[in-house]
Amino acid sequence: MKTQHFHNGAIWLGAKSEPADSLLIQDGIITAVGAEAVGPLLEHTTEQEDASLETIDLEGGFLMPSFGDGHAHPIFGGMEAEGPLVRSCTSVEEIIAEVKRYADAHPDEAWITGASYDGSLVRDGLFDAEWLDRAVSDRPVVLRAWDYHTVWCNSRALKLAGITAATPEPQIGEIPRRDDGSPLGTLREWGAVDLIDGFRPPHHESVRLRALDRAAEYYLARGVTWVQDAWVEPADVETYVSASQQNRLKLRFNLAFYADPRRFTQQLPEMLSARQRIEELSDPFLTAQTVKFFADGVIENETGALIEPYCTSLHNHGMQVWEGDSLAEAVREVDAAGFQIHIHAIGDAAVRQALDAIEHTIRHNGARDRRPVIAHAQIIDSADLSRFAELGVIANMQPLWAQLDDLMTVLTVPRIGRERALAQYRMRSVLDSGGHLAFGSDWPCTSGTPFEGLAVAVSRQTDDGEPDGGWTPEEILDIERSLDAYSTAVAHQAFADLRSERWGVIRPGASADFIILGSDPRTLLPQQLSATPVRRTFLRGVAVHSAD
């Protein structure tokens, strides 16, 4: 039996708990904390005489439960390195140059695909196909925007997909056009993006597995050991199953199957089959307990669903993905099948529709421990705030978004106006009203580094410390509740407390999933917190990442 003893540092046991100074682990399971961790050591001789005992000096560092990411897209994130590296480009010209560089270096690739460009670089996020033509005109080019709800295509891609002035507006999507009706080159939401995706050849499975490996390395270096993949389609299931069969899963993943209103009836049996297939693997690092719904799009391209119209139009309330009572009935069906509900809802109308669907489900299916999730919840109408607690809904928010960056000032505020802008990301309000709050990153849409999100949660400021006192300071969270939201609260979302291998807490009987930091995050300024490195990440008592 391998025994590990951690000492000489602060061992954080969660919000409102005093840290311990000692931790004992046996074969990857926490067996004792604090003073109770010292007694069993007497059963061992010195480290030199007993090879089964390993003592780890924290050197004044900080040990806490590892992070979970309650909403992300790991395969998307890992795939970004497989095409033009446009993520860091700060202008259209830089993007064009990078696409040309990549295309010249890969003359045999029939399609040039990549992600993800900054949609705020151009007014209204409308990118022209002719700009990409300057980089590549003889092969199709398709780039995803940072929001993953939008793509930018060159003229060749539009032609191959048959998207012309005569193409009707798709269901659940939009084709921005020139004055003559011809497609501009930007496609918004799935109905429009699918017009292109139907012609793009799929990536080879080896490429997708490499992307998943890359995502795992990214997360472990940031102290994340559980991820909710919040958009899983059949090809993704194959990738996760292959990774499991090849023993390539390096952290815990839960899959959320994507529910499409255009084909939901045939999807549900496919979801049940995929869940059974994954359960038969008996892989403790892979579960498939969730179904993901989109209630709306995003505010930045005016597809987020709002109760009151956008400032740009008296009649534009955004996009409702599921019409009428169809969302409520679909949610009820997947809940009856034993799945967890996970609903993307950005605008206040979408949040209300999501809450209504969950209420409908509880009323018809009865009470049980279902832990439904509403992801993002960017704008919550005050009349709906108390419903999160009443219905047992977890608000999974992305703390990094709660700042006045270019995305907010260039694309968001002009569309919704100052009053609604001040009602965004009501994290503290959800907690104070008795609701559950868990954090996620939505990586690769934005950074998957928890400490960058935590820095914003505790300050509501940019990296430059703007504005003074924080934006919407009444929603600032203290550091302990923020740490909890990115660790223990995500474990609650994941039903970790009900699993044979419990994780997300520093408690006897739990899996030894934790991180070690060089300094106590509770003592750091937001700007210091943002740059905090993770010294070591442990999973089941094994150091799976070390910065040393």
Side-chain angles (χ1 to χ4, degrees), residues 487-506:
S487 56
T488 306
V490 179
H492 172 77
Q493 175 185 322
F495 293 90
D497 54 310
L498 301 183
R499 302 202 171 278
S500 57
E501 189 171 274
R502 185 184 184 189
W503 51 269
V505 292
I506 305 296

Side-chain angles (χ1 to χ4, degrees), residues 12-17 62 64 67 395 397 399 426-439 453-454 457-458 473-490 521-522 529:
W12 190 67
L13 305 180
K16 300 180 181 178
S17 298
F62 186 88
M64 64 169 286
F67 295 121
M397 294 191 183
R426 302 178 69 178
M427 296 182 290
R428 182 171 177 177
S429 293
V430 167
L431 282 176
D432 289 350
S433 65
H436 292 281
L437 174 70
F439 282 162
L454 290 167
V458 302
E474 67 277 6
E475 295 296 340
I476 290 174
L477 291 179
D478 63 77
I479 182 59
E480 293 218 337
R481 287 207 286 184
S482 298
L483 291 171
D484 183 80
Y486 236 135
S487 56
T488 306
V490 179
R522 300 172 303 168
L529 189 63

